[in-house]
Amino acid sequence: MHRRQKPSAPEHKRDPAAHGGALSMSHNDMRSFFNFSQLVLSAGQLKSSPVIKHSKVTYFEVEILDVQSKKQICIVDKVPPTSTLLDVKHKFHKACPQWYPSRIGLQLERNGPYLKDSINIQSLAVSSIITLYFTDLGQQVGWTTFFLTEYTGPLLIYLLFYIRLSTIYDQVESTKNFRHPVVHLACFCHCLHYIRHLLETLFVHKFSGGHTPLKNMIKGCAFYWGFTSWIAYYINHPRYTPPSFGHRQVSFAALAFLMCEAGNHFINVALAHQNHSGLKACFPSPTYNPFTWLFLLVSCPNYTYEVGSWISFTVMTQTLPAGIFAFLMVIQMSLWAQKKHKLYLKRFYPEVRRKAAMIPIIF
């Protein structure tokens, strides 16, 4: 019996081992499953692979035609929907290097307005092919270059007349005659006006990178430079006669000129601060500065101060060329003010509806 029990002993011992092995394997499986569960929970929701989505990006083709002949100039293909019109102009420039982006004018219709560079190309699409009409805008210049050229000329031209070059006036007559103090004061005020414009162009006004045709700069320079030559010739002439009411007229006009110059500067600073801060939801409001209180009466006080400067300069010097220039400036500033006033009425109707455009009390 003892021998029969020996072989059964190992069998009895193998059973617990087998059970123990099965228990150890199930424990490892549970640990693996637990670790896998923790990994899934820590990773968040399972996302499907982007390959399974099969997403497609729709590209557009922009067909550019000549506005006059309607002939096809080129086709800009593979334009993403997020592209702007400026991106299309850059690609058009690569295909046709003779036209750089600022010279390209694109329209949806032949007689329609020129499209802005910031327009999204997808907003113009009716189908996958977009047809635009091209117009050569001519040689362009930046706005900063435009204003610096326009204002530097009068500053230098007036100084040439002020020093009385021998090629302009008779040299013998220039040295003999005495200069009235208003001649020196007029030179100071005139230079101050254009120096302020130059400094504001460089440090106050911020232009959005736009351009204007070169012919517009030529017209502006011809206007300002020509009138400056005419005004400076009379004021600095050796036979110039002072104002009729003498010192009182000059002092009052000079004080009014300086106040208008200061007001114009503070208004431009206030408008520039509003544009830089991005607060475009309301009309500019007056501040503690008294020069900004004109916002309570008119919507374009910078034009009011500009006109006031030239009227004061005319009274101070009492010359016909200065009076004609001031009269033309009143007309031009009134047109610009009316145009801006209409835009302000659309955007800020409650705040602007009781204001004048440029001249107080005149609605």
Side-chain angles (χ1 to χ4, degrees), residues 62-65 71-76 91-93 95-96:
V62 180
E63 180 187 23
I64 300 179
L65 308 178
K71 292 182 179 179
Q72 185 184 96
I73 299 178
C74 72
I75 293 180
V76 181
K91 292 185 178 181
F92 181 34
H93 173 59
C96 305

Side-chain angles (χ1 to χ4, degrees), residues 60-64 74-77 79 88 121 128 130 132:
F60 296 100
E61 289 186 358
V62 180
E63 180 187 23
I64 300 179
C74 72
I75 293 180
V76 181
D77 57 352
V79 179
V88 175
I121 200 67
S128 59
I130 304 172
L132 298 176

Side-chain angles (χ1 to χ4, degrees), residues 238-253:
R239 297 182 181 180
Y240 168 75
T241 55
S244 303
F245 295 96
H247 180 71
R248 289 184 179 181
Q249 179 178 343
V250 173
S251 301
F252 173 78

Side-chain angles (χ1 to χ4, degrees), residues 56-62 79-88 108 115-130 132:
K56 293 183 179 180
V57 178
T58 303
Y59 292 95
F60 296 100
E61 289 186 358
V62 180
V79 179
T82 56
S83 299
T84 61
L85 199 68
L86 183 60
D87 300 329
V88 175
L108 271 178
L115 300 173
K116 295 182 179 181
D117 293 343
S118 58
I119 291 180
N120 192 292
I121 200 67
Q122 192 173 13
S123 63
L124 305 175
V126 180
S127 62
S128 59
I129 300 177
I130 304 172
L132 298 176

Side-chain angles (χ1 to χ4, degrees), residues 52 115 121 151-152 158 177 190 212 220 241 259 265 280 304:
I52 303 176
L115 300 173
I121 200 67
Y151 297 143
T152 303
Y158 197 98
N177 289 352
H190 192 277
T212 185
T241 55
M259 291 181 63
H265 172 70
K280 299 182 180 181
T304 308

Side-chain angles (χ1 to χ4, degrees), residues 6-38:
K6 281 185 179 180
S8 62
E11 293 177 3
H12 182 69
K13 290 179 181 179
R14 280 198 297 267
D15 292 338
H19 289 293
L23 289 172
S24 62
M25 290 177 63
S26 62
H27 184 270
N28 291 335
D29 292 340
M30 290 179 65
R31 176 180 293 178
S32 300
F33 179 76
F34 177 78
N35 293 336
F36 177 74
S37 302
Q38 292 294 325

Side-chain angles (χ1 to χ4, degrees), residues 219-323:
K219 291 179 182 178
C221 290
F223 177 77
Y224 281 98
W225 295 16
F227 264 103
T228 299
S229 301
W230 193 21
I231 294 171
Y233 176 80
Y234 274 85
I235 297 176
N236 297 284
H237 199 280
R239 297 182 181 180
Y240 168 75
T241 55
S244 303
F245 295 96
H247 180 71
R248 289 184 179 181
Q249 179 178 343
V250 173
S251 301
F252 173 78
L255 180 61
F257 179 88
L258 295 176
M259 291 181 63
C260 288
E261 287 295 304
N264 201 339
H265 172 70
F266 288 120
I267 292 296
N268 289 331
V269 170
L271 293 174
H273 177 72
Q274 182 201 25
N275 294 334
H276 295 171
S277 60
L279 301 175
K280 299 182 180 181
C282 59
F283 185 77
S285 57
T287 62
Y288 63 89
N289 190 336
F291 290 102
T292 62
W293 294 351
L294 199 56
F295 272 123
L296 297 172
L297 301 176
V298 296
S299 59
C300 301
N302 51 335
Y303 295 151
T304 308
Y305 282 124
E306 183 76 12
V307 168
S309 295
W310 286 113
I311 294 176
S312 303
F313 187 84
T314 302
V315 174
M316 179 177 62
T317 58
Q318 196 173 314
T319 53
L320 179 63

